[in-house]
Amino acid sequence: MRNHRAVPVRKENSLGQRWWVKLLLVVVFMTPPIAAKEFDPSDTPGVVRATLEHPVVLDLPAIAIASKYVVFVVVVACLLRPALVGPLGWGYYAAILVVISVGQNIAVTDQYGTAWLVGNTAIQVVVAGFAAADAGRRSSRTRGSQLRRRRLWVLAPMALAWLLPYGVANGDIVARLPAGALTNEAGVTYCMVTPLVLGLMILYADGVHHSTLSVAAWVGLIFGVVNALIWFLAVPQSWWMGVLHLPLLVLSGYASWLSRRTPAGPPRFGSIVAAVHPR
């Protein structure tokens, strides 16, 4: 009998893991905002703050409330039926990121007129593209047996992100669990939606396409680090908002690490045939 030499299984495209893509995303993130009224570059933090304090999406409270519960239903549906993690989980993330990339990063302000955080929008749209491609091609193949029970701890930071419990006292963000936590803007806030999606992907990471997970986690890590610096160092009196961003920072970091060791996905049919019946 002839000895057959195994042919290595070809991996899926890992564009999201390449260092230059991640570097490019950092550069794009640093694109300065634009506004209808001219402002000094040194006042860029003021433009960012004014935009994020009341983005246009908050003028549509019905959408904000509906999105909060839609993402809850998506997460629960994926937990009950793991095969939906790829098409539904990534698909919803792509759709809501389109809303967030515009709605959360554009505002009509008193001081600057209409302002737009271009860098935020750009990298969120990139992530939406990766997520949409994954959902459309069904690159992530998950099943119930891939659930890692040791990772169920991610449900705690996911719950914190979904509730987004905070209050305002003397202009500072404080720890509070108001009734409004059930109707707030968490569902249309990038920094709160992303931990919910990444937490879900972490639970089934063995079947999640590593390229998609890598780029989503990397962008989440960028926002997580920036927010940690802002709320813990620049604005320490509102440290509780920094705590509320820890789910994003922690789950993005963990997902980024997992994406380095997660398989690209199931081998293609042609690769299986080549391994079994080599020429």
Side-chain angles (χ1 to χ4, degrees):
M1 180 181 292
R2 184 175 58 179
N3 292 328
H4 296 303
R5 181 170 56 88
V7 177
V9 175
R10 182 173 57 178
K11 292 185 177 181
E12 300 284 347
N13 180 24
S14 58
L15 179 64
Q17 287 193 311
R18 296 178 182 175
W19 68 268
W20 58 267
V21 172
K22 294 181 177 181
L23 178 61
L24 182 60
L25 286 171
V26 173
V27 173
V28 172
F29 173 72
M30 296 174 67
T31 302
I34 59 177
K37 299 179 181 179
E38 292 187 11
F39 62 92
D40 190 275
S42 63
D43 198 24
T44 295
V47 179
V48 174
R49 182 172 59 252
T51 304
L52 295 179
E53 282 179 352
H54 196 85
V56 293
V57 73
L58 294 187
D59 294 329
L60 303 169
I63 292 179
I65 296 172
S67 297
K68 185 179 180 78
Y69 287 92
V70 171
V71 70
F72 179 82
V73 171
V74 168
V75 170
V76 172
C78 290
L79 289 174
L80 294 176
R81 191 174 179 184
L84 294 176
V85 169
L88 180 60
W90 283 130
Y92 179 76
Y93 191 46
I96 197 62
L97 276 185
V98 172
V99 175
I100 290 172
S101 65
V102 176
Q104 194 189 6
N105 296 304
I106 296 178
V108 179
T109 70
D110 294 332
Q111 185 175 356
Y112 308 101
T114 301
W116 178 22
L117 307 184
V118 181
N120 286 13
T121 296
I123 63 173
Q124 288 168 9
V125 167
V126 170
V127 177
F130 272 83
D134 193 298
R137 298 172 181 172
R138 293 182 177 270
S139 301
S140 294
R141 309 285 180 85
T142 53
R143 54 186 185 276
S145 61
Q146 292 172 331
L147 174 66
R148 294 296 177 258
R149 298 185 182 277
R150 290 180 297 176
R151 300 176 190 161
L152 287 174
W153 60 267
V154 305
L155 295 176
M158 288 171 68
L160 181 62
W162 186 81
L163 284 171
L164 186 58
Y166 74 93
V168 180
N170 299 321
D172 299 327
I173 306 298
V174 297
R176 190 175 296 168
L177 184 58
L182 297 177
T183 57
N184 60 27
E185 68 276 15
V188 288
T189 303
Y190 170 83
C191 294
M192 302 303 143
V193 172
T194 298
L196 292 170
V197 174
L198 289 182
L200 184 63
M201 300 304 164
I202 286 170
L203 290 173
Y204 298 96
D206 290 346
V208 175
H209 195 284
H210 61 188
S211 183
T212 313
L213 183 61
S214 181
V215 74
W218 176 250
V219 172
L221 199 56
I222 293 173
F223 280 98
V225 169
V226 169
N227 276 280
L229 293 174
I230 291 173
W231 299 112
F232 288 127
L233 297 180
V235 193
Q237 62 270 25
S238 292
W239 62 270
W240 179 246
M241 186 55 75
V243 172
L244 293 178
H245 280 81
L246 287 180
L248 175 65
L249 180 61
V250 172
L251 296 185
S252 294
Y254 187 44
S256 185
W257 177 73
L258 285 177
S259 70
R260 299 180 60 188
R261 54 191 293 271
T262 300
R268 298 178 180 177
F269 179 74
S271 299
I272 297 175
V273 172
V276 177
H277 298 291
R279 295 179 179 178

